[in-house]
Amino acid sequence: MSHHIDLSSLSNPLATTEQLSNSASQLDGIPSDLEKSVRYAGTLLTQAAGILLRLPQEIIAKAIVSFTRFYLGPEGGSFLVHGAKDISSASLYMTAKISALPQSPRSILNVYEYLLSPSSHHAPPISTECANLSKPEPDTYYLSEGSYQLARTILLRTESILLRHVSFNTHVSLPHHLALTYLQTLGVVPAVPSPESSALVKRTLAHLNTALLSPQMLYLTHQPTTLAVAAIYLAAREVGTKLSGIEWWEVFDVEREELGFLIVGLRSCEGWAREEKVKWAERRCPLTVEGVESELRFRNAGAID
């Protein structure tokens, strides 16, 4: 009797060429550079909210993938219809709800109200650093009962939109655990960790987390197995860990061309983040429908002048 191993839980549905070449936001007249900026700011917002809620990175990462996937392709959401802030909060709420650490609507909304308030050290620009640089002003992010009830209605309605968009299939496979398994398979992570092996693991996971913020949407274009291999390869080069002399990535069914593309994508993330920080240094990247509309009017006025 043969045993069939189901590997579907280790894979994700990938974006098609058509979905990558066009989007609902672009069809609504949003320039590609603004779309990428808003999407990037939305992923940072999700990451920052997850940190403040003390959620594990696994939940945060899945929420970011769900957020990014929602705006994919002509059939996806548009930033002129569904604001990044609303989709971000709904993605985090939805993902946490089906985990071992569900969050109440009030907890989610309080954190987002703080992050988008003038008292927040996350804006402008938004940052995932959570140091308490000065005492915030509670009045700037206090949610009254009336405001909370309205925000709660929007949150639950947006969650239902998200669920319908993914046909109630909330599965997201991540490469983090795969990467750790691959490192053990390659024999570079001993039972008793050394400083070098610890550094290798840390850099590998850092690259996987950075890939979540990539403007190239690497989690929607590559399977977790490939992402894990690329992160290991790049981390090993940076730390100075010598891996097998043979083309070891082929053991994990990864081709050289795809590996090379991913490495270039991972390396470009840092430069992209620096450019975005400079670009939005004086004002906040728009995270609401009204904010995007205002940014478009600002750009159009500049073009006329």
Side-chain angles (χ1 to χ4, degrees), residues 19 122 226 276 280 292:
Q19 289 175 322
H122 301 271
T226 312
E276 286 297 293
W280 299 100
V292 173

Side-chain angles (χ1 to χ4, degrees), residues 203-272:
R203 288 302 301 157
T204 298
L205 296 179
H207 283 306
L208 292 177
N209 290 331
T210 299
L212 289 164
L213 314 177
S214 168
Q216 298 164 320
M217 299 183 288
L218 298 179
Y219 273 72
L220 303 189
T221 57
H222 295 81
Q223 294 292 1
T225 52
T226 312
L227 288 166
V229 168
I232 291 172
Y233 182 94
L234 190 55
R237 294 286 296 271
E238 293 171 346
V239 175
T241 300
K242 183 175 177 57
L243 301 176
S244 174
I246 61 173
E247 297 183 337
W248 57 269
W249 50 86
E250 293 184 351
V251 175
F252 304 110
D253 199 26
V254 175
E255 297 181 356
R256 176 185 289 272
E257 291 75 15
E258 189 175 13
L259 176 61
F261 176 86
L262 266 177
I263 291 172
V264 171
L266 288 172
R267 282 177 169 167
S268 67
C269 288
E270 185 177 350
W272 160 261

Side-chain angles (χ1 to χ4, degrees), residues 136-163:
E137 294 293 334
D139 290 344
T140 64
Y141 59 90
Y142 171 72
L143 264 179
S144 66
E145 186 60 28
S147 298
Y148 165 70
Q149 291 299 335
L150 176 60
R152 181 179 181 275
T153 299
I154 295 173
L155 175 66
L156 298 181
R157 185 174 67 228
T158 307
E159 182 199 16
S160 68
I161 293 172
L162 265 174
L163 286 169

Side-chain angles (χ1 to χ4, degrees), residues 182-200:
Y182 290 176
L183 285 170
Q184 292 174 338
T185 302
L186 291 167
V188 291
V189 179
V192 179
S194 64
E196 181 181 335
S197 66
S198 297
L200 176 61

Side-chain angles (χ1 to χ4, degrees), residues 97 103 220-221 287:
K97 178 190 284 188
Q103 301 294 304
L220 303 189
T221 57
L287 290 165

Side-chain angles (χ1 to χ4, degrees), residues 19-48:
Q19 289 175 322
L20 293 172
S21 61
N22 211 341
S23 69
S25 293
Q26 292 177 27
L27 292 176
D28 281 346
I30 298 178
S32 177
D33 72 296
L34 178 57
E35 178 188 26
K36 290 179 180 179
S37 291
V38 176
R39 185 171 58 232
Y40 173 67
T43 58
L44 283 182
L45 179 66
T46 310
Q47 180 74 39

Side-chain angles (χ1 to χ4, degrees), residues 61-71 87 91 94-95 162 165-166 170-172 220:
K62 289 182 177 181
I64 290 176
V65 174
S66 296
F67 167 84
T68 307
R69 189 177 287 164
F70 176 78
Y71 292 103
I87 299 300
S91 296
M94 178 186 73
T95 306
L162 265 174
H165 181 73
V166 298
T170 58
H171 168 74
V172 175
L220 303 189

